[in-house]
Amino acid sequence: MMVGGLQETVTAEHLIRQVGSAAEHGLSGVWAAQAFGWDALTALTLAGTAAPGIELGTAVVPAPQRHPLVLAGQALSVQAATGNRLTLGLGAGISMMVTGMYGLPADRPAARMREYLSVLRPLLRGEAVSHQSETLTAVGQVSVPGTTPPILLAALAPAMLRLAGELADGTVTWMTGPRTLADHIVPSITRAAQAAGRPAPRVVAGLLVSVTADAAGVRDRVAEQFGLAGHVPEYRAVLDREQAAGPQNVVIAGDEAQVERQLRRLRDAGVTDVLVAPFGSQDEQDHTIEVVAALAAADHHNG
């Protein structure tokens, strides 16, 4: 389950309640996005104290704004504080934000990410690095007790999917529909992992989900709140693959049976984990969590 406030600003108390709800319903993990609210890794450290035992994931931390030495220290600190439960989701960032907000270059995202991972991975293993190039300098070591967290790479374009299969442990997607997952994401990253001699990749699909009697109304609200994503080149490309006009066309919404069918389409597409972002009124969100948890428990029982 996604926590931390996609729809509204949340307090620490609200965040703890979200995490507690996920744990009480038997969900396997909580994930935090890095946007304009909570720092994702800080939120997960708090989450770890509220829900011992469940997975903690970022979906995702944009890499350009965090030097690998800084991110390695943060990630290993979360590992040490939470008993090694972190899955580190990384992304190249939305180019217009990387350049417009931070003044950082956003060209050659796959090449930059390859270089970033070549430095980050040994740092997460506690190794010293000495790397100097035109685009990245990193000299040093991070010493924090804890195990190396698995890395998932946000990947939509072919080059980034190849990189995710080769150097990461899988991918995490956002607002990506079942057709694109089945025909593009899953086969591309799986081929890359096989070619690199790596295990089958994890594919975590993040989607807005709402169990509701007013699916049309939910889609209208999604269009209003998340419509800007439909104009961002990175998301526009994946929505076009899905033949979707906007984010409202990939939200999972409807009654319990409709939501179950849509979630099972993701499993059939080869998704290994569904990352649910409950959407709607508080009652709709609560009901969504209950329904998703029941489906997850039934799947677990049936093997």
Side-chain angles (χ1 to χ4, degrees):
M1 187 176 96
M2 187 77 79
V3 298
L6 283 176
Q7 293 181 247
E8 70 285 312
T9 302
V10 300
T11 64
E13 291 76 14
H14 189 178
L15 176 63
I16 290 172
R17 285 198 299 272
Q18 288 180 326
V19 174
S21 178
E24 289 166 10
H25 284 89
L27 298 180
S28 61
V30 293
W31 296 64
Q34 183 64 54
F36 303 113
W38 278 80
D39 173 76
L41 288 162
T42 304
L44 291 178
T45 304
L46 179 60
T49 65
I54 67 175
E55 182 181 18
L56 309 166
T58 57
V60 294
V61 173
Q65 297 94 291
R66 304 200 194 202
H67 189 278
L69 279 163
V70 173
L71 182 57
Q74 292 173 320
L76 289 174
S77 295
V78 175
Q79 283 287 70
T82 63
N84 300 314
R85 288 185 277 147
L86 176 66
T87 293
L88 183 61
L90 290 178
I94 300 299
S95 59
M96 67 172 60
M97 293 173 61
V98 172
T99 57
M101 293 180 65
Y102 296 96
L104 298 171
D107 62 313
R108 298 176 291 158
R112 289 180 183 278
M113 183 59 76
R114 178 176 292 276
E115 188 173 21
Y116 191 98
L117 288 175
S118 74
V119 172
L120 180 66
R121 291 176 69 198
L123 286 171
L124 291 174
R125 295 192 296 265
E127 301 171 9
V129 298
S130 181
H131 179 94
Q132 291 181 307
S133 72
E134 178 185 352
T135 61
L136 178 63
T137 296
V139 179
Q141 187 174 11
V142 176
S143 298
V144 180
T147 60
T148 303
I151 296 175
L152 303 181
L153 185 60
L156 301 173
M160 200 68 80
L161 283 164
R162 289 193 296 270
L163 179 59
E166 179 184 344
L167 294 183
D169 300 291
T171 186
V172 55
T173 66
W174 176 239
M175 293 195 300
T176 303
R179 178 184 303 161
T180 302
L181 286 158
D183 298 341
H184 173 55
I185 302 290
V186 172
S188 297
I189 191 173
T190 301
R191 283 194 301 268
Q194 289 173 343
R198 291 179 59 81
R202 190 175 180 188
V203 178
V204 179
L207 286 161
L208 295 165
V209 180
S210 182
V211 178
T212 177
D214 182 18
V218 164
R219 295 186 195 282
D220 288 343
R221 280 178 279 162
V222 169
E224 180 181 350
Q225 294 184 36
F226 295 90
L228 181 61
H231 302 284
V232 173
E234 291 87 347
Y235 287 115
R236 186 66 263 164
V238 78
L239 289 170
D240 286 343
R241 280 186 177 271
E242 196 69 21
Q243 299 179 6
Q248 69 275 13
N249 300 114
V250 294
V251 64
I252 294 177
D255 61 27
E256 294 183 17
Q258 290 170 325
V259 166
E260 180 177 359
R261 284 196 298 271
Q262 293 172 77
L263 289 172
R264 296 205 183 284
R265 281 191 69 192
L266 298 176
R267 182 187 62 186
D268 294 342
V271 166
T272 60
D273 304 78
V274 179
L275 173 54
V276 171
F279 184 85
S281 67
Q282 191 59 57
D283 285 344
E284 287 171 328
Q285 292 185 50
D286 292 343
H287 189 38
T288 297
I289 295 169
E290 292 171 0
V291 170
V292 169
L295 290 173
D299 274 356
H300 180 74
H301 178 75
N302 295 329

